[in-house]
Amino acid sequence: MTQTDTETVVEQDGPGRTRWGVFLVILAVPTLVVAALIALLVAWLFTDDSVASDVKKTSCAEALAYGGAKLPEGARDAGCYLDAGPEPRFEASFRMRTNKVGAWLAATYPDEPALRTKQCASRSIDACLNVGPVAGQHASVQVEVVHDGPNWSDVRFVAFTL
C-alpha cells in the first residue's frame, strides 16, 4: 500500500455564513401581522361610534306622543331616544307593573288587538303588539314586553314612520 500525502486546509479567521437572517425574516412577518391586528383592535375599541350617529336623548312625552301614547302612571327607569335619520324613529323603554301593561295598551289603542304572546320578533320577548298607522298620526308602533319577575315588566316602545 502506498501512502498519500494529505492536504492541509487553512481555516478561515472570520465567522462563517449562517441562516439567522432568513430565520428572522420568517419570524418577523407573522409578528408584524399580529401587531397590526392588535393595533386595529385597540383603535376600534376606543373609537366612539355614537358621535357619527344621529341618536339623541329626547323627552319621553315627545317619543310616546309620536306613536299616540303617554307614559303610563307608575312607570320607572324611563329612557327615550330619537333617531333623526331621513324618517324620525322614536324609542322609549321603561319598567311598569306586569298586570297593568295590557290595560295601558288597551286604553292607548282601543281599536287594536290585545298583546300577543306568539309570533313576536324574538323568543326572549314575552308579549308584543304591532299597531299600523295610528289614528291621527303617521307612525306605526311596535311594543315589546319582557317580564322581569312576577311583578315587573320591561317595555320597549318604538314609533316610526312607514
Side-chain angles (χ1 to χ4, degrees), residues 14-153:
R17 182 176 174 176
T18 64
R19 294 190 171 107
W20 280 107
V22 174
F23 176 74
L24 290 177
V25 168
I26 291 172
L27 188 62
V29 171
T31 304
L32 291 174
V33 169
V34 169
L37 289 174
I38 291 172
L40 286 173
L41 177 66
V42 168
W44 177 71
L45 287 175
F46 290 106
T47 302
D48 187 11
D49 295 335
S50 66
V51 174
S53 173
D54 288 338
V55 176
K56 298 173 185 156
K57 200 164 187 154
T58 188
S59 73
C60 287
E62 180 184 3
L64 291 162
Y66 191 77
K70 292 180 183 176
L71 193 63
E73 287 188 35
R76 295 183 181 179
D77 304 329
C80 300
Y81 301 93
L82 165 64
D83 185 358
E87 298 291 334
R89 181 179 192 269
F90 288 90
E91 183 172 332
S93 60
F94 52 90
R95 294 172 51 83
M96 69 181 295
R97 291 275 191 194
T98 300
N99 59 356
K100 297 193 179 202
V101 174
W104 170 68
L105 287 170
T108 304
Y109 305 111
D111 298 332
E112 298 299 327
L115 279 169
R116 65 179 186 266
T117 57
K118 296 183 180 183
Q119 298 176 342
C120 293
S122 168
R123 288 182 185 244
S124 62
I125 297 171
D126 296 314
C128 58
L129 174 68
N130 293 330
V131 179
V134 179
Q137 304 289 329
H138 297 287
S140 291
V141 173
Q142 292 178 339
V143 179
E144 297 173 347
V145 180
V146 177
H147 301 309
D148 186 19
N151 298 324
W152 291 94
S153 292

